Amino acid sequence: MRLSLKNLDRICIFTIIIVVGMCGFWVAKQGVKQKTQIRQEDALYDRGLENMNLAASNLQLLNSGLKAVKDESKAIKEQIPETVEIGKFLKQLDALVKRRNIVLITLQPMPEKQEKYFTKIPIRLMFQGAFSDICHLLYELETMKRLLVTEKINISKAGIGGQCRVDLTLNG
């Protein structure tokens, strides 16, 4: 069987078309693979970016929570000082007594009592003044920044007039 030149040309062209078609198919397949891989990497990048944004917002929430806790801790430390800051309290007490026209008879710091988390400093106060002034003084002592706990209070009438005498023991 002899092949004619025309048939040989057709076989070569057909072979070239098949090879070019296979190469084109292979290139298209590689392009689709690369596009798929790029889409997957983009999706992974987007998820990473979302996670990073979420982490940043969580960090902001944690920082604001930490600031709130620090502020609250500072307020508690002002109410219950770590060290014995009785001088500052005595200055505040003196100013309150003078403002209310109350006569301070005695002020006796008593021995400290050690508790589990803090130290109690009992202070015995005796003072005399008008009942309304004493009520205002007691309210101001109760609402001042330093935490004070009334252990004992005795209010009695002091002689003639509207004067009262108070014997008060506070834990500061």
Side-chain angles (χ1 to χ4, degrees):
M1 164 165 191
R2 281 191 86 197
L3 292 175
S4 68
L5 198 53
K6 192 175 183 183
N7 284 340
L8 188 58
D9 286 342
R10 285 183 186 158
I11 290 174
C12 286
I13 289 176
F14 182 71
T15 305
I16 291 173
I17 290 174
I18 289 177
V19 169
V20 168
M22 287 175 58
C23 287
F25 178 74
W26 182 77
V27 167
K29 184 178 171 185
Q30 293 301 320
V32 169
K33 268 188 186 179
Q34 285 180 349
K35 281 186 178 181
T36 304
Q37 187 176 0
I38 288 172
R39 273 193 235 120
Q40 288 175 347
E41 288 175 357
D42 283 346
L44 185 63
Y45 175 76
D46 289 341
R47 272 187 264 133
L49 192 60
E50 286 174 11
N51 288 340
M52 199 162 63
N53 289 338
L54 180 64
S57 66
N58 286 343
L59 180 63
Q60 286 178 339
L61 287 172
L62 287 173
N63 282 336
S64 64
L66 180 63
K67 184 182 182 304
V69 167
K70 283 182 179 179
D71 292 343
E72 189 175 327
S73 174
K74 184 179 177 183
I76 289 172
K77 284 183 180 182
E78 285 179 4
Q79 288 181 337
I80 306 173
E82 290 182 19
T83 59
V84 181
E85 295 177 3
I86 195 76
K88 187 176 178 183
F89 167 69
L90 293 177
K91 286 180 184 177
Q92 290 173 339
L93 179 65
D94 182 53
L96 292 174
V97 167
K98 285 180 180 175
R99 188 174 349 137
R100 295 288 171 196
N101 297 321
I102 295 175
V103 177
L104 185 61
I105 299 169
T106 60
L107 185 143
Q108 296 174 326
M110 301 168 86
E112 296 178 355
K113 297 177 185 174
Q114 188 65 37
E115 295 291 326
K116 188 172 182 178
Y117 297 108
F118 58 93
T119 302
K120 283 187 194 177
I121 306 169
I123 301 169
R124 183 171 182 219
L125 301 168
M126 289 184 71
F127 48 89
Q128 183 173 334
F131 182 76
S132 62
D133 291 333
I134 289 174
C135 286
H136 289 293
L137 175 69
L138 293 175
Y139 176 75
E140 288 173 343
L141 286 173
E142 184 179 313
T143 57
M144 70 185 334
K145 283 188 177 182
R146 183 178 179 118
L147 182 64
L148 298 172
V149 178
T150 303
E151 189 173 297
K152 181 178 84 170
I153 185 168
N154 183 13
I155 301 174
S156 58
K157 186 173 181 175
I160 303 171
Q163 296 287 310
C164 293
R165 178 178 235 152
V166 178
D167 185 0
L168 174 66
T169 304
L170 298 171
N171 286 318

